[in-house]
Amino acid sequence: MPTKVTARYVLGYHNGHHVLLEDACVVYDGSTIEYVGHDYTGPVDEERQLGDAVLMPGLIDLDALTDIDHLILDSWAGPEHAKGHQWSEDYFRNRRADVFTPEERQQIREYALIQLILHGITTYMPIASEVHSEWAEPFDELVGMADTSRRLGLRGFLGPAYRSGVNVVLESGKRSVMFDVERGREGFADALRFIDHATELKDPLVTGVLLPCRIETLDIGLLKETAAASAGRDILVRLHSLQGLMERELILDRHGVAPLELLEQVGLLGERLLIPHATYTDRNPAVFGEDRGDLSTLADSGASIIHCPLTSMRYGSALDSFNAYKEAGINISLGTDSFPPDLIRGIDAGVQLAKILAGTNDAGDVAGYFDAATLGGAHALRRPDLGRLEPGAQADLVAFSLGDIRDGVHDDPLRTLILNGTARQAVLSVVAGRTIMADGVIDGVDLDYWRLKGQELFDKMRQAYSVRDTLNRPANELFPPVYARLER
């Protein structure tokens, strides 16, 4: 049953690169693209005219928020307030507890996956905060999330997060990591069990991967076991690392080497590894050039980085620089990591930050960023059938409207989209040939219900910070408003 989608602009693929076609179409049958071009005359069972829109490969988010966002709370804090956003030593030792019930955790997952669809994400790898859980992510939670993801029609690379340690604030006020090695082993067993579960599903939209937490929260044994499982089963590993000076200090104190060297020592640094952020390499001035050769080491290893420009900017950091990593030969993919899961805004942030860092306007590599959101993600996932619109590729596509007067004038549609628009302009999302969103509507999903439910869950999460804070400060003190609120 061929389906034809026509738009004013189509981001096709030719001779190894994205190319722009005007007044063109994409035709797909089942889960596979059959034609991309201008003059398709064959029979179709369904035709969709998108008008002034840009139709492109589905966006790939490899650090996709599947949680209620905490950045709205903690990206404003100074050092003293920030201590209240971590676990206290007493909470770790005596009072660890789940903030949400298992049912609420599934509601959080569904709320977040709906947001991904509405923002044009078709393929994702999840990220959620463990701060609000008694430890990390249990097997059953990811089984439920996989069921929800399949029902909604997203393409997910999934696994429960696991760790053997947690970032805490000690009674002295110092930041550290405290360990419960046995819980780490239990979490790792759950992760392997989920890999088997995903295989048994035999669903092309669910792939099992290993998603350990931040590098400083894994003991050396768990790092090595993760590397061995990845190699033995030939499965991907995503590990947050090279993302901050605190991480670097903790790794140096505990292991005597910098984070990148530790990845190499334990056997993780290779083509199966995906590294979110990767901002603290020898390119970063804060490292003072101590780790010379980081970019060449990353490039030679075949590892991919997951660049999250909007989230990095909001926490006061930047990749220095996108072009330097690209020129070194490192595969760059993109992630959102926080709300909104808007890769269009993320691309805009990255392009403008690149100009500032380089001191020249031509440093903003728009094509490079769109490549990262599509081809780079596909390469990291080892899925050459994703991230491109060409015959034989998966029918994963998304369209963003450019038909509103507020979108401004059109020169190049991609520049118009990133400068004047957001991913909220997504009007069509198709995964493996199934339309999962059209004109902002997701079949079977009551968006008004989920808007209210999301706020309810967020309010519960916000209040729970006080219990973990060393000083037990109330939420309104930990998260002061922009202006003082005048009570009735």
Side-chain angles (χ1 to χ4, degrees):
M1 298 177 61
T3 298
K4 179 181 178 182
V5 182
T6 301
R8 180 174 175 184
Y9 306 106
V10 172
L11 192 63
Y13 191 76
H14 181 69
N15 290 338
H17 301 281
H18 289 319
V19 291
L20 189 66
L21 294 75
E22 291 200 41
D23 297 318
C25 68
V26 175
V27 178
Y28 55 91
D29 191 357
S31 64
T32 306
I33 294 173
E34 290 195 341
Y35 177 86
V36 181
H38 299 95
D39 303 314
Y40 186 83
T41 57
V44 296
D45 294 291
E46 182 181 354
E47 187 166 0
R48 189 183 295 270
Q49 300 275 354
L50 298 178
D52 274 348
V54 55
L55 179 64
M56 65 178 66
L59 300 181
I60 300 174
D61 185 348
L62 297 185
D63 210 28
L65 182 73
T66 51
D67 207 342
I68 300 294
D69 190 39
H70 58 80
L71 182 144
I72 195 172
L73 295 172
D74 62 21
S75 60
W76 316 94
E80 288 307 310
H81 278 100
K83 291 176 182 178
H85 304 162
Q86 302 290 329
W87 286 17
S88 67
E89 184 174 356
D90 174 61
Y91 185 81
F92 173 88
R93 295 187 186 281
N94 304 309
R95 298 184 291 111
R96 300 191 321 229
D98 288 321
V99 172
F100 299 107
T101 66
E103 180 184 8
E104 288 171 330
R105 288 299 302 168
Q106 293 305 321
Q107 291 172 334
I108 287 170
R109 300 296 197 178
E110 184 157 358
Y111 172 83
L113 295 181
I114 289 167
Q115 296 283 3
L116 295 183
I117 293 172
L118 292 172
H119 286 83
I121 305 299
T122 57
T123 295
Y124 73 102
M125 192 177 280
I127 178 66
S129 173
E130 300 83 20
V131 168
H132 317 295
S133 299
E134 188 270 337
W135 192 249
E137 294 177 349
F139 170 80
D140 289 341
E141 185 173 320
L142 265 292
V143 169
M145 180 179 169
D147 290 343
T148 301
S149 184
R150 296 170 72 198
R151 170 166 52 84
L152 292 172
L154 283 161
R155 188 184 299 277
F157 288 75
L158 310 178
Y162 58 93
R163 61 182 177 180
S164 49
V166 60
N167 287 280
V168 299
V169 177
L170 302 177
E171 292 177 3
S172 64
K174 183 180 178 182
R175 292 274 298 274
S176 186
V177 176
M178 299 184 72
F179 287 88
D180 186 336
V181 173
E182 183 56 35
R183 293 301 300 270
R185 296 296 174 276
E186 292 171 3
F188 181 61
D190 269 0
L192 296 180
R193 184 180 168 201
F194 184 84
I195 298 288
D196 294 335
H197 172 76
T199 302
E200 290 165 5
L201 289 176
K202 296 181 180 178
D203 186 337
L205 295 186
V206 177
T207 301
V209 293
L210 291 171
L211 301 179
C213 299
R214 302 165 63 110
I215 186 172
E216 74 272 20
T217 65
L218 276 69
D219 69 274
I220 193 75
L222 196 52
L223 284 167
K224 290 180 177 178
E225 289 179 54
T226 298
S230 172
R233 296 179 177 230
D234 191 28
I235 49 179
L236 298 173
V237 178
R238 189 195 64 198
L239 178 58
H240 285 71
S241 47
L242 308 174
Q243 65 174 331
L245 292 178
M246 180 59 67
E247 169 208 293
R248 179 181 172 81
E249 179 182 327
L250 291 167
I251 294 295
L252 283 168
D253 286 348
R254 185 171 180 84
H255 301 287
V257 295
L260 187 60
E261 188 175 351
L262 180 62
L263 290 171
E264 198 166 22
Q265 286 184 0
V266 299
L268 276 169
L269 190 61
E271 64 178 11
R272 290 182 296 273
L273 180 65
L274 287 70
I275 305 175
H277 306 300
T279 46
Y280 281 80
T281 65
D282 57 7
R283 286 285 311 186
N284 192 304
V287 179
F288 303 114
E290 296 170 13
D291 304 336
R292 298 190 186 282
D294 279 357
L295 296 197
S296 60
T297 299
L298 279 170
D300 291 345
S301 73
S304 296
I305 71 164
I306 306 171
H307 179 29
C308 305
L310 188 60
T311 295
S312 291
M313 181 177 72
R314 288 173 165 180
Y315 283 115
S317 67
L319 192 72
D320 190 0
S321 67
F322 182 90
N323 285 343
Y325 281 65
K326 180 180 172 183
E327 289 167 5
I330 297 167
N331 181 58
I332 306 173
S333 59
L334 292 189
T336 52
D337 190 40
S338 63
F339 192 85
D342 189 329
L343 284 177
I344 303 304
R345 289 181 69 182
I347 289 171
D348 186 27
V351 166
Q352 311 315 327
L353 284 170
K355 295 179 186 179
I356 294 169
L357 289 166
T360 175
N361 281 348
D362 61 2
D365 185 0
V366 176
Y369 268 93
F370 274 101
D371 284 353
T374 52
L375 300 171
H379 180 85
L381 296 172
R382 303 187 295 180
R383 289 291 302 268
D385 58 335
L386 301 179
R388 66 200 69 198
L389 299 183
E390 68 170 346
Q394 283 288 297
D396 289 13
L397 45 145
V398 63
F400 297 96
S401 174
L402 296 175
D404 193 298
I405 189 171
R406 290 167 293 187
D407 298 325
V409 297
H410 300 189
D411 176 29
D412 183 289
L414 298 178
R415 289 199 181 102
T416 295
L417 180 60
I418 68 162
L419 288 172
N420 302 346
T422 77
R424 293 185 184 187
Q425 291 161 227
V427 291
L428 179 69
S429 188
V430 176
V431 178
R434 172 187 168 186
T435 299
I436 63 172
M437 184 274 289
D439 298 320
V441 176
I442 304 170
D443 284 345
V445 173
D446 183 343
L447 296 181
D448 287 334
Y449 167 83
W450 284 109
R451 182 179 65 83
L452 296 174
K453 176 59 68 174
Q455 186 65 48
E456 175 188 316
L457 294 165
F458 171 80
D459 291 342
K460 184 174 184 179
M461 178 190 80
R462 183 178 183 272
Q463 290 300 120
Y465 276 87
S466 300
V467 180
R468 297 186 296 269
D469 178 27
T470 303
L471 301 177
N472 298 121
R473 288 167 287 187
N476 287 343
E477 184 178 338
L478 283 172
F479 311 114
V482 176
Y483 294 111
R485 296 186 178 180
L486 185 64
E487 303 298 335
R488 288 182 177 271

